[in-house]
Amino acid sequence: MALKMVKGSIDRMFDKNLQDLVRGIRNHKEDEAKYISQCIDEIKQELKQDNIAVKSNAVCKLTYLQMLGYDISWAAFNIIEVMSASKFTFKRIGYLAASQCFHEGTDVIMLTTNQIRKDLSSPNQYDTGVALTGLSCFVTPDLARDLANDIMTLMSHTKPYIRKKAVLIMYKVFLKYPESLRPAFPRLKEKLEDPDPGVQSAAVNVICELARRNPKNYLSLAPLFFKLMTSSTNNWVLIKIIKLFGALTPLEPRLGKKLIEPLTNLIHSTSAMSLLYECVNTVIAVLISLSSGMPNHSASIQLCVQKLRILIEDSDQNLKYLGLLAMSKILKTHPKSVQSHKDLILQCLDDKDESIRLRALDLLYGMVSKKNLMEIVKKLMIHVDKAEGTTYRDELLTKIIDICSQSNYQYITNFEWYISILVELTRLEGTRHGHLIAAQMLDVAIRVKAIRKFAVSQMAMLLDNAHLIASNTQRNGICEVLYAAAWICGEFSEHLEEANQTLEAMLRPKVTTLPGHIQAVYVQNMVKLYASILQQKEQSGEKEAAQEITQLMIERLPQFVQSADLEVQERASCILQLIKYIQKLQIKEVPVAEEVIALFAGELNPVAPKAQKKVPVPEGLDLDAWINEPPSDSESEDEKPKTIFHDEEQRHSRHRQPEIDEEELARRREARKQEQANNPFYIKSSPSPQKRYQDTPGVEHIPVVQIDLSVPLKVPGMPMSDQYVKLEEERRHKQKLEKDKKKKKQKKEKRGKHHRHNSLHTESEEDITPAHHVDIITEEMPENALPSDEDDKDPNDPYKALDIDLDKPLADSEKLPVQRHRNAETLKSPDSEAPPVEKSKKPKKKEKKHREKERDKGKKKEKEKKVVEEEEEKKGEDLDFWLSTAPPPVSTAQPQSGPEVSAAVVAEPEEVKKEEREEQQEEDEGKKSSKHKKKKHKKEKEEKSKDKKKSKKKHHSEEEATESVQNGTLDDEPLPPMSSYRLLAENPYIKMTYDIQGNLQNDSQVTVSVIFENKSTSFLKSMELNVLDSLNTKMLRPEGSSVHDGIPVPFQLPPGISNEAQFVFTLQSIVMAQKLKGTLSFIVKNDEGSTHEKLDFKLHFSCASYLITTPCYSDAFAKLLESGDLHMSSIKVDGISISFQHLLAKICFHHHFSVVERVDSCASMYSRSIQGHHVCLLVKKGENSVSIDGKCSDSTLLSNLLDEMKETLSKC
Amino acid sequence: MIKAILIFNNHGKPRLSKFYQRYSEDTQQQIIRETFHLVSKRDENVCNFLEGGLLIGGSDNKLIYRHYATLYFVFCVDSSESELGILDLIQVFVETLDKCFENVCELDLIFHVDKVHNILAEMVMGGMVLETNMNEIVTQIDAQNKLEKSEAGLAGAPARAVSAVKNMNLPEIPRNINIGDISIKVPNLPTFK
């Protein structure tokens, strides 16, 4: 056997391997393509052989050829063969090839499902790894669905190498198979706290990627990420988390407030620029989200801007670039702080690096004010002249226009200046943005009435010098401005001084070389011009001149009639006829000007861009309804009276085409002939089209107007924008002097002339009055325009499918599809090349199954929904709770610094907290009451009880009580307020209450939250808490401290203030309740001095505190009970008077259970301990008694739990 | 997300291409050409970020590249990646190559593109960063190489002998196109732990 293998490999050692191929290609530089096609032929031969080594060698070469641009999809099946090799060496080659060339359209990809599944469960971690890597590149919806469950299992693999890959690939699976997101999410979340940093980082990566697309669904993870952020040292992870927070803060401003402090700390402490930069970025995001009404963050802004300045000033171009990028984000909300760095940014405009110049340009947008606009634009114009590449120059051009036109020309004080800037820009050769300039010209001329006269004169000049602009028509972007020029001159021809000259300019033969749409505008507007000239001449009685101008039109228009552009042709011939008619009238000496000018009466007003969309549909109008009855196919139609409309009859006849008789056809043929005869574009023998033009003079007869020979390159008489800058300065100076005078006499008068932006101006800017009376006409909107301004979302967004609420508990139906009928044969034979026919059937089967499942899902949805709503509420509250009350973990970690400072710090949050809590309650109340109205009683009740359970100590009873009275819909009496915080110890100075919570992530830890309340009028400080550890239960102390050391409480207490601290305890066994003795030592400081005080306490760890409320579904519950490995025990308590509802609520609240099912006075409940013991309860209520049957995987734990429960219930 | 990773030399010859989004082979080549065109005309001392590849561009995407002697390493990423972080990742990638190939040069990449792919697969998976710790990457690569060797075993011996013979004339090709100055790092950037 071995010999045979050796022989085989000797045979193939003379095959080309990858290196030979590469070498060969390098040696055939001249005929590379030929050589490669030869190689491909060889590869095809090799692929036909049975030897897997030969095959994989061939596939390896193909992968290389793929990189060179050769399509290798024809070898897809061979690639799959190599993927299924038993040896890792070959497998890896196969998967690599697949990852390079497989995609959703690869049809054989479905054959890989079983192979991949097999590899995923391979005992060799590298087989699994290579399969995961490959799959990540070519996963399809089918593969994702079929393999999701297998990958999910791998997320808990023992090897971190596999875990991290499995976690990462889940993102791809989610994208392709969004249904998998909810079932897999809990585990993914778990991985955030994986002991291996690689896995943790992968989980962070995936969640960040998910959250980036649909941030609101991940808000509830904020506390967890916050914890990671303050504890992680991995920069990569930190960057991801910080970026994520940047995406979350806009949704939750309170989160932002919480973030500012740790982020600022990081900014101060980190040495990694990448991290610093991301921190600054997120702080900016926070500040943007807080920008309304948070004036006291100016320090943070200053810090950011200051750090960014350091980046921008750095010699490293990368940092400079990023600094500018981040700066532009600040600009949006805090332009003032950026403006102070104008010098630096203008300096960057001169940088040799184009990327940096472009970023600096972005910033300029926000730097301008009325004062400096002209100056900045002037600088930019210099850059425009200097710029080499057209892209950069075009960018400059758009930026100049952006800057000037921003917020409705807010910063322009002198529109003459602006028009001349625009005119200057038209001298740019080869720009793509001619239409932009044109649009600006039109916009300004239409909307700024006062400028029209000036604009028209400038435009006339442009038209006169059109040859300069249109000369390089091959790159004719700039000739678009002629479109605007022609229109402005025509529309506002009353302002034109030498209309004759302009008209002549527009009639020049060269115009016909312009693009059609511009010619069309020319033609239309020369009539406007003509009309106004006519009127002028008629009024002044110069009949000769009037006829001359008519003659000119008649002479020149035919060149447009011949245009190839339909629009130009149509307009020109129409107008030519009109003018011929006018000529006739003129000969008869009939005054015509009035009538001609009437053609263009009325003003065109600008219309807002969204006006059409915002026209409300009038009431009672159904746009989808038929206006007339839909035409029925029945013949009865014919009987309808023919009185309606003449042409409707015609339309009917067209509908019934097949029944047209011979006569009709003949008639039509005739008509068509006629039509063709009159169409100049039909080439035919008939000389008719030429005849039509015979009466007009030929092109060669047109007298060529002697023009443009003496025209200098600078457009004559064109004002230079620079002059305006000077003029403006003088004007402003004068204005200022005047103003100063006025000020003394009277109080400042408001002089801002803009309608819209008065409120935006700062005082200093208001001082500058525009040079003209600027009357910006606002755009027209339809009456009753809808105020909504929502942007249309892209319905094709692939990430939309992942917009899934993750906080809902999982329904039973939401499971990843598991393949049940495995193909045993393929499993057994490792080197299989199983017949593809057999395999290809499988996916179909699976699909069916999947569909069935979905049907199930539908059924269960109703039930699920109920639970979902409750849970949502709970989640929301949890987050609120974290955001508003929990002391930030940072502060716990921080050692005490000077007493005064920290005292203030503590006092403040407490106040804020209180306020917020109140707000929150109001909100909650509002939410609930509105909900209550909508929902049915039953749901309400449940919700209520749940709410109570979760409300903890923070909700005060009064509000709850009043609320239920107000609502008045409850038929049960309200629940009494419950608090899980029990008294720990109390003396005249201090009161301690505590609560114990299991830690879900760690099976041997519980967290004890202690609220310290200062009851005295003295200041309490240097509090230190110490407990006497038992063998089983120990307090978690910082490393290096002995078991006898206490833990300092991380805050001080001013009189009357309370605050909460958390202590972590580790335990081994949780089946028994524990008691720990402890002492709190503290210093009381008042006017008389300070004294040491001590307070002893006993911490009671009840068994219930090891339980974690875990929702459970009835079928899972039933399965659990059936499994039979649970121990059973029961209790009975007499003399219970409270309602069953309350009873359940109490058990849920104090003992951390959740109700699985409730039928009348019988309920099943479930909970789980931190060490994974299941605890099931069946609670039955008798007349005056309650019996509880319990089942638990540990009998001691159960009996202890039941004892505790008995105690609770007996108090009722 | 990383959209694509490209390595090409100073003449635009592709040395490695990895696309994490589906493009046809023709488009891939176009992207490589376009990217080369964009990157190669930039000076040495300008910033390493670049917007506006038309094909793989889009407003959200950026090209982040580094130039080492004869090779350009280009990552096309979207806005969820940190620019400086990716720069550092490229550094880690090159240093890893240097370690795995023992003083890497362009020739290594030319003749062993499959190995480069394998190394990359340990760093980036499906467009997401998998591992940034060089030692961890090298450990995994070594383990896989060992596995490969053990699989080749007896049968692999003659093949190795032949390839050794074939490679004998390799040193004739000058190795001076060494990637070389990889020790130049972005200032102030500690590598990832």
Side-chain angles (χ1 to χ4, degrees):
Chain A
M1 181 65 192
L3 235 163
K4 198 179 160 198
M5 276 169 71
V6 171
K7 189 171 171 292
S9 53
I10 288 173
D11 281 345
R12 81 185 155 85
M13 70 192 182
F14 298 106
D15 287 345
K16 269 193 201 105
N17 62 14
L18 175 62
Q19 281 76 35
D20 300 325
L21 175 77
V22 175
R23 205 171 291 132
I25 293 174
R26 285 162 72 86
N27 290 337
H28 290 78
K29 286 226 166 76
E30 287 79 35
D31 52 346
E32 196 182 286
K34 194 178 149 209
Y35 178 76
I36 289 179
S37 75
Q38 204 181 317
C39 289
I40 290 181
D41 286 342
E42 280 171 26
I43 289 170
K44 280 184 179 159
Q45 287 306 315
E46 287 166 22
L47 286 176
K48 281 186 191 143
Q49 292 186 34
D50 281 339
N51 190 331
I52 192 74
V54 176
K55 263 186 196 165
S56 74
N57 182 42
V59 166
C60 185
K61 287 190 279 184
L62 279 180
T63 313
Y64 181 79
L65 293 178
Q66 194 272 345
M67 182 180 77
L68 299 183
Y70 290 84
D71 180 16
I72 60 163
S73 54
W74 51 269
F77 187 74
N78 303 104
I79 292 172
I80 295 182
E81 283 179 316
V82 177
M83 277 162 71
S84 53
S86 58
K87 278 186 182 170
F88 170 72
T89 318
F90 304 142
K91 196 183 281 296
R92 183 158 73 168
I93 291 170
Y95 272 105
L96 174 62
S99 76
Q100 292 293 84
C101 78
F102 282 14
H103 53 96
E104 277 185 31
T106 309
D107 45 3
V108 290
I109 211 165
M110 59 187 175
L111 305 182
T112 58
T113 317
N114 274 328
Q115 180 57 43
I116 296 173
R117 177 174 289 126
K118 208 183 86 190
D119 288 335
L120 290 183
S121 52
S122 158
N124 180 353
Q125 62 164 331
Y126 293 113
D127 283 351
T128 314
V130 96
L132 285 172
T133 309
L135 188 61
S136 73
C137 291
F138 58 78
V139 61
T140 62
D142 283 337
L143 283 177
R145 190 192 57 234
D146 295 340
L147 296 171
N149 197 47
D150 302 69
I151 299 172
M152 182 126 129
T153 327
L154 291 180
M155 283 166 76
S156 317
H157 200 272
T158 48
K159 298 231 169 67
Y161 178 75
I162 299 300
R163 280 211 302 275
K164 71 181 177 193
K165 287 195 169 196
V167 168
L168 218 50
I169 203 180
M170 278 319 273
Y171 178 65
K172 294 277 173 166
V173 173
F174 296 151
L175 272 184
K176 300 286 177 188
Y177 178 52
E179 289 89 335
S180 61
L181 178 55
R182 280 174 39 72
F185 195 72
R187 191 167 293 181
L188 183 62
K189 206 169 131 187
E190 241 173 70
K191 294 296 144 199
L192 283 175
E193 299 189 281
D194 196 279
D196 184 83
V199 182
Q200 198 184 40
S201 151
V204 170
N205 230 329
V206 171
I207 292 184
C208 288
E209 207 53 59
L210 287 169
R212 200 164 71 93
R213 307 291 181 176
N214 301 296
K216 65 175 190 315
N217 299 340
Y218 300 86
L219 257 182
S220 59
L221 288 182
L224 192 52
F225 275 114
F226 192 86
K227 201 175 117 196
L228 279 176
M229 183 178 84
T230 46
S231 60
S232 177
T233 51
N234 182 336
N235 280 349
W236 190 266
V237 170
L238 279 175
I239 287 173
K240 282 277 168 191
I241 293 175
I242 287 166
K243 265 185 166 284
L244 172 69
F245 276 132
L248 292 182
T249 41
L251 303 172
E252 179 55 88
R254 279 181 294 170
L255 177 62
K257 279 186 214 164
K258 230 182 151 76
L259 283 172
I260 285 264
E261 197 202 323
L263 285 179
T264 325
N265 289 344
L266 265 177
I267 290 177
H268 280 302
S269 65
T270 185
S271 61
M273 277 299 178
S274 46
L275 186 57
L276 171 92
Y277 172 68
E278 296 305 338
C279 285
V280 170
N281 249 336
T282 298
V283 170
I284 294 168
V286 168
L287 293 175
I288 290 172
S289 73
L290 293 177
S291 59
S292 48
M294 289 293 285
N296 54 343
H297 280 303
S298 56
S300 308
I301 300 163
Q302 278 315 313
L303 177 68
C304 288
V305 175
Q306 187 195 327
K307 286 279 172 186
L308 289 179
R309 190 177 171 109
I310 294 172
L311 290 188
I312 296 173
E313 281 173 333
D314 199 288
S315 60
D316 184 351
Q317 298 289 76
N318 291 328
L319 298 182
K320 190 173 273 195
Y321 173 89
L322 293 175
L324 289 170
L325 199 64
M327 205 64 124
S328 66
K329 287 179 194 156
I330 301 188
L331 186 68
K332 281 172 202 142
T333 46
H334 301 89
K336 280 257 171 66
S337 11
V338 183
Q339 266 156 18
S340 53
H341 299 284
K342 205 178 96 190
D343 55 319
L344 190 62
I345 286 150
L346 287 177
Q347 200 181 311
C348 288
L349 274 184
D350 299 323
D351 201 282
K352 57 186 181 306
D353 189 346
E354 194 177 291
S355 305
I356 286 175
R357 287 201 304 260
L358 287 174
R359 292 285 75 79
L361 272 182
D362 285 346
L363 278 168
L364 272 186
Y365 185 83
M367 307 256 102
V368 292
S369 64
K370 284 189 173 180
K371 266 186 192 163
N372 63 12
L373 176 72
M374 285 185 168
E375 179 197 337
I376 286 181
V377 171
K378 186 181 163 192
K379 200 170 163 118
L380 290 181
M381 291 300 281
I382 295 170
H383 278 277
V384 170
D385 287 340
K386 277 198 293 187
E388 286 138 17
T390 46
T391 28
Y392 177 59
R393 211 177 47 184
D394 281 359
E395 191 65 26
L396 274 169
L397 190 153
T398 46
K399 276 281 134 54
I400 292 176
I401 289 178
D402 274 357
I403 288 171
C404 293
S405 63
Q406 68 174 307
S407 39
N408 226 355
Y409 307 104
Q410 186 190 343
Y411 298 115
I412 294 185
T413 50
N414 187 337
F415 276 92
E416 278 187 21
W417 165 81
Y418 186 45
I419 292 277
S420 40
I421 286 284
L422 289 175
V423 172
E424 267 175 55
L425 285 175
T426 62
R427 288 193 223 128
L428 282 187
E429 264 178 55
T431 178
R432 287 181 292 117
H433 292 303
H435 61 279
L436 253 183
I437 306 176
Q440 281 293 299
M441 287 173 169
L442 286 172
D443 199 42
V444 171
I446 294 169
R447 291 172 59 190
V448 187
K449 271 187 180 161
I451 202 67
R452 283 182 192 165
K453 193 172 164 50
F454 180 78
V456 166
S457 70
Q458 292 295 304
M459 293 303 120
M461 210 117 49
L462 269 184
L463 287 177
D464 211 24
N465 295 291
H467 59 282
L468 292 180
I469 290 165
S471 60
N472 47 353
T473 35
Q474 58 276 26
R475 292 177 296 172
N476 56 4
I478 201 67
C479 65
E480 290 289 326
V481 295
L482 293 176
Y483 176 100
W487 191 87
I488 292 170
C489 284
E491 185 67 21
F492 307 119
S493 51
E494 69 269 19
H495 298 295
L496 210 52
E497 271 163 16
E498 300 204 39
N500 268 337
Q501 202 187 330
T502 311
L503 184 62
E504 252 171 59
M506 285 169 83
L507 283 166
R508 275 178 209 152
K510 250 210 155 162
V511 171
T512 50
T513 58
L514 291 172
H517 67 283
I518 299 179
Q519 283 188 59
V521 172
Y522 263 68
V523 171
Q524 189 72 16
N525 283 285
M526 58 180 82
V527 195
K528 293 184 195 168
L529 263 179
Y530 167 74
S532 76
I533 295 173
L534 205 60
Q535 193 189 30
Q536 197 190 326
K537 301 287 178 200
E538 262 184 28
Q539 274 170 1
S540 58
E542 301 169 68
K543 278 177 195 157
E544 298 265 304
Q547 283 182 8
E548 246 170 57
I549 201 86
T550 313
Q551 187 57 36
L552 180 73
M553 289 290 277
I554 291 174
E555 276 168 18
R556 301 287 184 81
L557 269 176
Q559 58 182 340
F560 294 107
V561 176
Q562 287 163 343
S563 169
D565 192 281
L566 204 65
E567 181 84 14
V568 181
Q569 194 190 62
E570 195 182 5
R571 287 186 193 211
S573 42
C574 193
I575 286 163
L576 185 62
Q577 291 310 315
L578 180 75
I579 291 183
K580 278 182 186 166
Y581 179 67
I582 294 170
Q583 197 180 29
K584 269 186 209 163
L585 290 176
Q586 276 181 330
I587 293 169
K588 289 179 194 163
E589 305 216 338
V590 181
V592 283
E594 284 304 316
E595 281 163 62
V596 179
I597 209 109
L599 282 175
F600 308 106
E603 195 162 320
L604 296 172
N605 282 338
V607 176
K610 283 181 185 166
Q612 178 70 41
K613 222 161 92 191
K614 297 204 169 178
V615 178
V617 179
E619 228 172 283
L621 174 65
D622 182 3
L623 287 175
D624 295 328
W626 287 92
I627 298 174
N628 297 319
E629 281 302 299
S632 62
D633 297 329
S634 66
E635 283 94 303
S636 64
E637 218 178 343
D638 289 336
E639 290 153 27
K640 271 185 184 168
K642 287 181 178 176
T643 51
I644 315 170
F645 283 114
H646 174 65
D647 56 13
E648 191 176 313
E649 219 271 313
Q650 273 185 346
R651 223 180 297 141
H652 283 313
S653 68
R654 221 172 282 157
H655 280 302
R656 283 170 296 167
Q657 240 168 7
E659 275 132 23
I660 302 167
D661 53 14
E662 276 298 303
E663 249 181 54
E664 170 73 16
L665 275 176
R667 201 181 62 75
R668 279 198 192 171
R669 229 173 277 139
E670 194 52 43
R672 215 177 300 133
K673 247 182 213 163
Q674 198 76 30
E675 209 177 277
Q676 286 173 2
N678 292 330
N679 189 331
F681 291 106
Y682 272 93
I683 302 164
K684 54 205 163 294
S685 54
S686 147
S688 61
Q690 275 93 340
K691 235 188 245 169
R692 281 188 69 209
Y693 303 128
Q694 266 172 7
D695 52 347
T696 67
V699 180
E700 61 270 28
H701 295 301
I702 299 172
V704 177
V705 185
Q706 58 285 27
I707 36 159
D708 67 39
L709 287 174
S710 60
V711 177
L713 247 141
K714 279 254 162 85
V715 182
M718 203 168 267
M720 294 295 296
S721 58
D722 290 358
Q723 295 168 0
Y724 284 99
V725 180
K726 225 179 193 178
L727 282 174
E728 180 71 12
E729 266 164 25
E730 283 168 21
R731 193 178 66 84
R732 275 182 201 171
H733 184 69
K734 235 193 280 172
Q735 240 173 30
K736 209 181 166 194
L737 290 179
E738 269 173 44
K739 207 157 211 180
D740 287 346
K741 263 188 241 163
K742 267 190 197 167
K743 245 185 197 169
K744 279 167 198 164
K745 289 178 199 162
Q746 61 194 70
K747 288 217 165 175
K748 207 176 83 188
E749 218 178 347
K750 275 223 165 182
R751 299 188 71 190
K753 290 289 189 336
H754 290 269
H755 298 316
R756 290 173 141 195
H757 296 282
N758 279 346
S759 56
L760 288 175
H761 298 169
T762 55
E763 291 93 332
S764 66
E765 287 189 345
E766 256 176 293
D767 289 346
I768 304 164
T769 44
H772 313 277
H773 180 89
V774 182
D775 175 25
I776 295 185
I777 301 171
T778 49
E779 293 150 322
E780 283 189 345
M781 278 294 239
E783 281 172 46
N784 331 317
L786 301 169
S788 69
D789 210 13
E790 79 243 352
D791 290 316
D792 301 350
K793 278 180 185 161
D794 180 13
N796 297 326
D797 184 8
Y799 304 100
K800 223 177 168 182
L802 285 181
D803 188 359
I804 295 168
D805 188 348
L806 298 163
D807 294 333
K808 292 185 222 162
L810 281 176
D812 298 333
S813 54
E814 283 188 284
K815 274 180 194 153
L816 294 175
V818 186
Q819 198 188 25
R820 274 169 203 142
H821 310 287
R822 288 200 185 208
N823 192 334
E825 276 170 31
T826 43
L827 261 184
K828 269 178 217 158
S829 57
D831 213 339
S832 76
E833 285 153 29
V837 199
E838 207 182 309
K839 275 187 191 170
S840 63
K841 275 183 190 162
K842 300 210 86 182
K844 280 182 196 160
K845 247 190 251 166
K846 265 173 265 155
E847 246 168 41
K848 214 184 202 172
K849 214 187 291 166
H850 179 63
R851 245 175 267 141
E852 275 166 20
K853 243 171 213 166
E854 278 194 320
R855 226 174 295 140
D856 283 355
K857 214 187 268 179
K859 277 182 215 159
K860 286 187 182 169
K861 237 173 204 166
E862 292 259 315
K863 187 175 143 200
E864 182 192 329
K865 225 184 198 170
K866 234 191 279 171
V867 192
V868 163
E869 270 154 10
E870 289 161 11
E871 286 290 323
E872 254 171 29
E873 200 116 308
K874 175 198 162 194
K875 280 284 173 182
E877 248 165 47
D878 281 356
L879 181 67
D880 283 349
F881 175 73
W882 175 76
L883 284 168
S884 56
T885 54
V890 199
S891 64
T892 11
Q894 271 170 354
Q896 274 178 307
S897 53
E900 266 79 25
V901 181
S902 52
V905 169
V906 174
E908 194 187 40
E910 184 63 20
E911 273 176 22
V912 177
K913 260 187 268 169
K914 265 184 196 158
E915 271 176 33
E916 270 179 2
R917 220 178 293 153
E918 274 163 27
E919 269 174 32
Q920 193 186 313
Q921 274 172 354
E922 273 170 31
E923 263 176 42
D924 283 1
E925 213 180 330
K927 239 191 278 168
K928 271 179 215 153
S929 57
S930 66
K931 253 189 194 160
H932 278 298
K933 278 169 207 158
K934 287 179 205 155
K935 280 182 202 157
K936 287 176 188 165
H937 290 331
K938 198 179 162 195
K939 209 182 275 175
E940 233 165 71
K941 261 189 273 168
E942 285 182 19
E943 201 174 78
K944 212 76 240 223
S945 64
K946 270 258 156 108
D947 272 349
K948 295 288 147 71
K949 276 173 259 154
K950 264 76 199 186
S951 64
K952 295 189 182 160
K953 84 285 164 149
K954 298 297 170 201
H955 284 257
H956 297 297
S957 56
E958 296 145 13
E959 254 135 318
E960 304 259 355
T962 49
E963 172 208 356
S964 56
V965 172
Q966 276 168 359
N967 292 329
T969 45
L970 279 181
D971 38 18
D972 250 325
E973 74 272 43
L975 292 166
M978 285 187 281
S979 168
S980 60
Y981 279 73
R982 280 167 292 172
L983 183 68
L984 184 59
E986 193 174 7
N987 69 8
Y989 297 109
I990 193 163
K991 181 180 169 183
M992 295 194 283
T993 49
Y994 76 109
D995 178 40
I996 304 174
Q997 293 286 333
N999 187 340
L1000 199 59
Q1001 268 74 39
N1002 195 325
D1003 59 9
S1004 59
Q1005 279 187 1
V1006 291
T1007 308
V1008 179
S1009 312
V1010 185
I1011 299 179
F1012 299 87
E1013 190 188 338
N1014 187 347
K1015 291 163 65 189
S1016 70
T1017 52
S1018 323
F1019 200 91
L1020 303 185
K1021 59 177 213 175
S1022 303
M1023 291 188 280
E1024 203 175 89
L1025 188 115
N1026 199 7
V1027 291
L1028 227 60
D1029 292 349
S1030 72
L1031 273 178
N1032 190 38
T1033 314
K1034 294 183 169 67
M1035 182 153 77
L1036 202 66
R1037 293 178 169 86
E1039 260 177 68
S1041 50
S1042 89
V1043 284
H1044 305 295
D1045 288 344
I1047 292 188
V1049 180
F1051 47 78
Q1052 309 183 333
L1053 283 181
I1057 295 297
S1058 62
N1059 205 343
E1060 184 177 321
Q1062 295 185 328
F1063 304 90
V1064 178
F1065 287 78
T1066 56
L1067 351 108
Q1068 278 159 359
S1069 160
I1070 59 157
V1071 298
M1072 302 256 274
Q1074 314 264 338
K1075 271 183 186 165
L1076 287 187
K1077 272 189 190 169
T1079 322
L1080 178 80
S1081 61
F1082 53 96
I1083 296 174
V1084 183
K1085 193 182 171 192
N1086 51 23
D1087 301 340
E1088 294 143 29
S1090 42
T1091 48
H1092 273 276
E1093 292 289 338
K1094 265 190 181 174
L1095 178 60
D1096 292 331
F1097 58 83
K1098 256 186 196 167
L1099 254 177
H1100 182 76
F1101 292 86
S1102 65
C1103 284
S1105 57
Y1106 306 135
L1107 295 185
I1108 293 171
T1109 316
T1110 320
C1112 179
Y1113 289 94
S1114 48
D1115 42 359
F1117 188 77
K1119 230 178 250 171
L1120 198 64
L1121 290 180
E1122 279 165 20
S1123 67
D1125 42 10
L1126 301 182
H1127 304 271
M1128 190 176 152
S1129 175
S1130 53
I1131 52 162
K1132 193 172 178 187
V1133 188
D1134 289 323
I1136 303 285
S1137 55
I1138 61 167
S1139 71
F1140 191 52
Q1141 155 97 15
H1142 281 189
L1143 188 98
L1144 291 182
K1146 266 195 189 288
I1147 297 176
C1148 284
F1149 187 69
H1150 290 295
H1151 300 273
H1152 304 150
F1153 275 85
S1154 65
V1155 180
V1156 179
E1157 225 169 356
R1158 181 186 160 185
V1159 184
D1160 298 330
S1161 55
C1162 191
S1164 49
M1165 305 179 91
Y1166 174 80
S1167 186
R1168 240 188 75 176
S1169 79
I1170 52 172
Q1171 293 183 351
H1173 304 101
H1174 302 283
V1175 190
C1176 308
L1177 295 183
L1178 184 67
V1179 186
K1180 280 184 247 167
K1181 188 172 186 328
E1183 193 66 2
N1184 262 323
S1185 66
V1186 172
S1187 67
I1188 300 176
D1189 296 323
K1191 276 194 170 186
C1192 174
S1193 24
D1194 189 291
S1195 58
T1196 329
L1197 178 66
L1198 179 63
S1199 64
N1200 284 325
L1201 276 171
L1202 289 178
D1203 285 347
E1204 283 172 19
M1205 235 169 271
K1206 202 170 185 175
E1207 202 180 327
T1208 320
L1209 293 180
S1210 59
K1211 283 180 196 156
C1212 303
Chain B
M1 285 275 281
I2 299 170
K3 299 291 163 86
I5 297 173
L6 306 173
I7 305 178
F8 42 74
N9 72 359
N10 287 348
H11 306 289
K13 281 242 185 295
R15 295 302 176 213
L16 174 126
S17 69
K18 181 93 211 168
F19 290 88
Y20 295 104
Q21 252 174 7
R22 169 67 193 165
Y23 293 102
S24 73
E25 271 75 16
D26 287 342
T27 323
Q28 290 186 2
Q29 293 302 309
Q30 265 177 313
I31 291 172
I32 295 173
R33 272 197 299 276
E34 191 197 32
T35 314
F36 169 70
H37 185 71
L38 283 172
V39 167
S40 61
K41 69 176 183 201
R42 291 173 66 83
D43 288 337
E44 277 302 301
N45 48 1
V46 299
C47 72
N48 299 82
F49 316 121
L50 181 66
E51 293 131 60
L54 290 175
L55 288 164
I56 202 170
S59 56
D60 201 31
N61 292 355
K62 254 197 197 100
L63 295 176
I64 299 175
Y65 73 96
R66 282 188 151 215
H67 189 197
Y68 296 94
T70 60
L71 291 175
Y72 285 98
F73 289 71
V74 187
F75 280 45
C76 178
V77 302
D78 68 14
S79 64
S80 74
E81 300 295 342
S82 144
E83 291 88 347
L84 293 174
I86 292 292
L87 269 186
D88 213 30
L89 188 71
I90 300 178
Q91 180 70 27
V92 173
F93 184 31
V94 174
E95 278 180 37
T96 312
L97 288 176
D98 196 48
K99 230 177 192 174
C100 292
F101 285 110
E102 284 159 16
N103 213 351
V104 69
C105 70
E106 193 186 339
L107 277 182
D108 294 316
L109 272 76
I110 294 172
F111 286 106
H112 302 284
V113 65
D114 50 339
K115 285 184 186 156
V116 182
H117 268 297
N118 295 337
I119 293 168
L120 185 62
E122 295 301 322
M123 288 181 67
V124 180
M125 192 177 124
M128 284 182 288
V129 178
L130 179 68
E131 185 60 69
T132 51
N133 182 338
M134 182 166 65
N135 292 334
E136 172 70 18
I137 300 166
V138 173
T139 315
Q140 299 300 348
I141 290 292
D142 285 347
Q144 289 176 35
N145 288 343
K146 215 180 256 171
L147 179 64
E148 210 172 21
K149 253 180 207 156
S150 73
E151 278 180 352
L154 181 59
R160 279 202 298 276
V162 170
S163 89
V165 171
K166 281 177 181 169
N167 284 338
M168 281 222 300
N169 54 352
L170 254 190
E172 290 166 20
I173 306 166
R175 275 186 76 91
N176 60 0
I177 34 177
N178 199 304
I179 283 183
D181 55 347
I182 54 164
S183 55
I184 301 172
K185 290 183 191 177
V186 179
N188 309 320
L189 266 184
T191 43
F192 298 110
K193 277 164 214 163

